[in-house]
Amino acid sequence: MNPIRLLFLFCFLCFSALSFAAKVDTLDIPSAVMQKNLRAAVVLPNSYAKGNATYPVLYLLHGGGGQFSDWLKQTPDKMLVHKLADQYNIIIVMPEGEKLSGYLDSPFQKDNQFETYITKEVVGKIDNTYRTIRDRKGRVITGLSMGGHGALYLSTRHPELYCAAGSMSGAVDLNRKKWKIDAEFAKRITPEFERILGPENATPDLHAANSVINMVDKMKTNGLKIIIDCGVDDFLIEPNRELHHRLVYNNTPHEYTERPGAHTWDYWENSLPSHVLFFSKVLKQNGIVVP
């Protein structure tokens, strides 16, 4: 091929790729309840700027030790979230959950009120900033590790907000004795758990009450669509298996998958597309169709 034509073709392909790329906003979402400033990343599908349609929203939570931008920076494919937003015409919101908030409201720490923050302040800010479907039928949530627990926790406690929820490698049981971790790792994370829920030997009921593995009856009552997966080499595999068994035992419909893999970004990069596909089917069943 003529070098000039080859260069033209290359430039055309690059322009085409850019013209169909989703847009990323970094949004300030300060918390009145915690009295501090936090941010979120928001990925808008390319089609958002081309019309006046309202869009469904996926809330995508990061894991412990992470931050709101993890899903944009840590996956091997840095365009993964962009591609999914474009493919399924969905707004994807990645809020801040800090190092180890559990996405819950701590009775001990006023600066750790992340259940209230996500469900009221973040959802409210997103709905008032973008053209969203302001109804549970157009809102879904998932996350990895701490974020997997957070997604199931928040959706179970607030079924009025979400129609479906997922968990990837979720820390679904806050009892670290059930995790396959060494003593050094356990020692390192224990102070973080004690900060938000108190010492486990002093407040065992509080730890148990905030573990989604103990919320299966509520999950059944709520009737949310649920998807859960975990790698067979993940240190959280046993709590995930136990959650699955409990959901089967009480006849709660859900999708559960184990795949090769560990607690890694390679695993989560493979996992997220299956969650978004699952959610897209639920949204279609709800009558959500974005042109």
Side-chain angles (χ1 to χ4, degrees):
M1 181 180 289
N2 184 290
I4 295 178
R5 292 183 65 187
L6 185 62
L7 178 61
F8 176 80
L9 178 61
F10 175 77
C11 292
F12 174 77
L13 291 174
C14 289
F15 176 78
S16 297
L18 289 172
S19 66
F20 287 99
K23 175 189 174 184
V24 180
D25 287 345
T26 299
L27 195 65
D28 290 324
I29 309 182
S31 173
V33 70
M34 294 188 286
Q35 292 294 299
K36 58 185 174 183
N37 294 317
L38 299 168
R39 294 186 294 170
V42 181
V43 177
L44 301 172
N46 183 63
S47 62
Y48 183 87
K50 299 180 178 181
N52 296 309
T54 55
Y55 283 73
V57 181
L58 162 61
Y59 286 86
L60 181 58
L61 307 183
H62 68 77
Q67 59 180 338
F68 74 95
S69 59
D70 277 5
W71 276 104
L72 298 176
K73 296 180 178 179
Q74 301 296 337
T75 52
D77 179 0
K78 300 300 183 289
M79 297 299 291
L80 175 66
V81 178
H82 307 65
K83 293 174 182 176
L84 292 171
D86 277 345
Q87 181 179 355
Y88 292 99
N89 275 325
I90 190 169
I91 296 173
I92 301 179
V93 178
M94 293 153 282
E96 180 61 62
E98 293 194 334
K99 184 178 179 181
L100 206 162
S101 67
Y103 295 100
L104 51 83
D105 286 354
S106 168
F108 305 109
Q109 296 292 326
K110 292 182 179 180
D111 67 346
N112 198 114
Q113 305 295 307
F114 278 86
E115 177 181 358
T116 297
Y117 176 65
I118 299 294
T119 60
K120 293 185 178 180
E121 297 179 320
V122 173
V123 170
K125 178 69 172 181
I126 295 301
D127 282 349
N128 288 325
T129 304
Y130 301 102
R131 298 192 313 273
T132 63
I133 296 170
R134 304 184 180 190
D135 188 277
R136 68 180 299 273
K137 68 181 182 180
R139 195 181 292 121
V140 297
I141 186 170
T142 191
L144 69 89
S145 195
M146 177 183 79
H149 174 273
L152 294 179
Y153 181 87
L154 295 174
S155 61
T156 300
R157 290 171 60 84
H158 299 273
E160 74 282 0
L161 291 180
Y162 310 98
C163 64
S167 171
M168 296 169 263
S169 311
V172 295
D173 190 341
L174 300 183
N175 181 355
R176 278 88 65 205
K177 295 176 183 178
K178 304 293 181 65
W179 302 3
K180 293 181 179 179
I181 56 176
D182 59 36
E184 179 59 31
F185 183 39
K187 181 179 179 180
R188 189 164 68 249
I189 63 174
T190 292
E192 298 294 332
F193 279 90
E194 291 183 345
R195 183 183 69 85
I196 58 174
L197 291 173
E200 192 164 14
N201 59 355
T203 57
D205 292 345
L206 191 58
H207 284 74
N210 283 279
S211 293
V212 296
I213 199 168
N214 298 318
M215 299 180 179
V216 292
D217 289 339
K218 180 66 172 172
M219 291 180 189
K220 180 177 181 178
T221 300
N222 290 342
L224 272 71
K225 306 297 184 182
I226 299 172
I227 179 171
I228 300 166
D229 69 78
C230 192
V232 294
D233 297 317
D234 197 296
F235 66 86
L236 293 170
I237 186 62
E238 292 304 329
N240 277 272
R241 285 172 176 166
E242 177 62 22
L243 175 60
H244 167 55
H245 293 157
R246 294 187 185 191
L247 291 170
V248 170
Y249 182 79
N250 79 343
N251 296 310
T252 301
H254 66 289
E255 183 173 303
Y256 177 79
T257 305
E258 292 182 12
R259 292 194 303 273
H263 212 72
T264 67
W265 280 102
D266 284 326
Y267 178 86
W268 300 319
E269 176 171 288
N270 289 329
S271 181
L272 181 59
S274 65
H275 280 234
V276 184
L277 174 60
F278 176 87
F279 293 142
S280 73
K281 294 177 181 178
V282 174
L283 292 169
K284 288 180 181 178
Q285 291 171 1
N286 290 345
I288 306 299
V289 179
V290 180

